[in-house]
Amino acid sequence: MAGSDPVIQGTSAPDTVKILIAGGFGVGKTTMVGAVSEIVPLRTEEPLTSAGLGVDDLNGIPEKHATTVALDFGRITLSQELVLYLFGTPGQQRFWFMWNDLAIGALGAVVLVDVRRPESSFAAIDFFERRDIPFVVGVNGFHGEHPYAADEIRDALALPEHTHVLLCDARDRESCRDVLIALIDQLIATSAQGNGSGRPTGRV
């Protein structure tokens, strides 16, 4: 973040910011929260069963055997002045009703995209655009592979130029941290334009 802390020095308690980690089914949301969280993450995973046959689309992700049914929760301290609370959303369409509740109080979001199935994250992008919640796109390279450049992904998702698109690996802590920092940078820029200060407003 240009070598500087994102908030004013000398505060008695760190600013806490709620961030959503969203995207389609099986794009790596639980993996990202687990990789970057400094605490043991809260997970609400359940095994996939025959009840989901014909309901959950496993096309392209045959290796997936469990799914988030409520949320994932983690925390990461970016500096002495800024702590992020991370809420991973469920990816299956039958659990999307929870997104509205999870979005309450969120200042921003990371939309994870599986480059093999970019269409699975269209709904998440639309959700945040409709609610005017700032977001960045993290392109999760499964097996560490990124066959397309960020600009190609932007064009495929029909995203405007101001939306940050970053190639990442949801298994790697530093890679996930870079995506979160890009989001905070975007929130700071938006906040500065709106209130004349250089810090995100609002607390969890």
Side-chain angles (χ1 to χ4, degrees):
M1 289 186 291
S4 62
D5 286 339
V7 293
I8 297 173
Q9 298 287 341
T11 54
S12 58
D15 279 344
T16 54
V17 177
K18 180 179 182 181
I19 299 297
L20 297 188
I21 310 297
F25 182 44
V27 297
K29 300 180 296 294
T30 298
T31 300
M32 180 177 185
V33 173
V36 78
S37 178
E38 64 197 21
I39 62 173
V40 177
L42 168 67
R43 292 175 174 169
T44 58
E45 282 194 310
E46 294 292 340
L48 292 173
T49 67
S50 58
L53 293 177
V55 178
D56 300 325
D57 184 7
L58 294 175
N59 185 37
I61 48 172
E63 71 281 1
K64 188 167 181 62
H65 302 293
T67 185
T68 298
V69 297
L71 59 88
D72 299 309
F73 174 77
R75 184 187 72 199
I76 178 173
T77 300
L78 290 185
S79 73
Q80 291 182 348
E81 292 80 24
L82 184 61
V83 176
L84 306 186
Y85 289 139
L86 309 175
F87 291 78
T89 66
Q92 295 146 288
Q93 186 171 355
R94 54 195 167 118
F95 296 127
W96 284 357
F97 67 91
M98 298 187 61
W99 286 30
N100 285 320
D101 289 338
L102 289 173
I104 295 173
L107 292 191
V110 173
V111 175
L112 277 183
V113 172
D114 179 351
V115 71
R116 304 169 301 179
R117 303 175 297 118
E119 70 283 353
S120 68
S121 291
F122 286 166
I125 292 171
D126 183 65
F127 179 88
F128 295 115
E129 286 181 337
R130 287 178 178 272
R131 288 158 181 79
D132 200 26
I133 297 176
F135 67 93
V136 299
V137 171
V139 183
N140 186 19
F142 281 78
H143 311 296
E145 299 175 356
H146 286 287
Y148 304 104
D151 285 343
E152 294 178 284
I153 299 295
R154 182 195 309 281
D155 291 342
L157 297 176
L159 294 170
E161 283 295 325
H162 67 263
T163 301
H164 295 292
V165 178
L166 303 101
L167 306 182
C168 67
D169 185 339
R171 304 167 300 177
D172 182 77
R173 176 180 173 82
E174 292 303 314
S175 179
C176 296
R177 187 175 185 272
D178 288 345
V179 174
L180 293 170
I181 288 174
L183 174 60
I184 294 301
D185 281 344
Q186 180 171 315
L187 294 177
I188 291 170
T190 302
S191 178
Q193 292 172 1
N195 61 29
S197 70
R199 62 188 301 171
T201 57
R203 299 176 72 88
V204 176

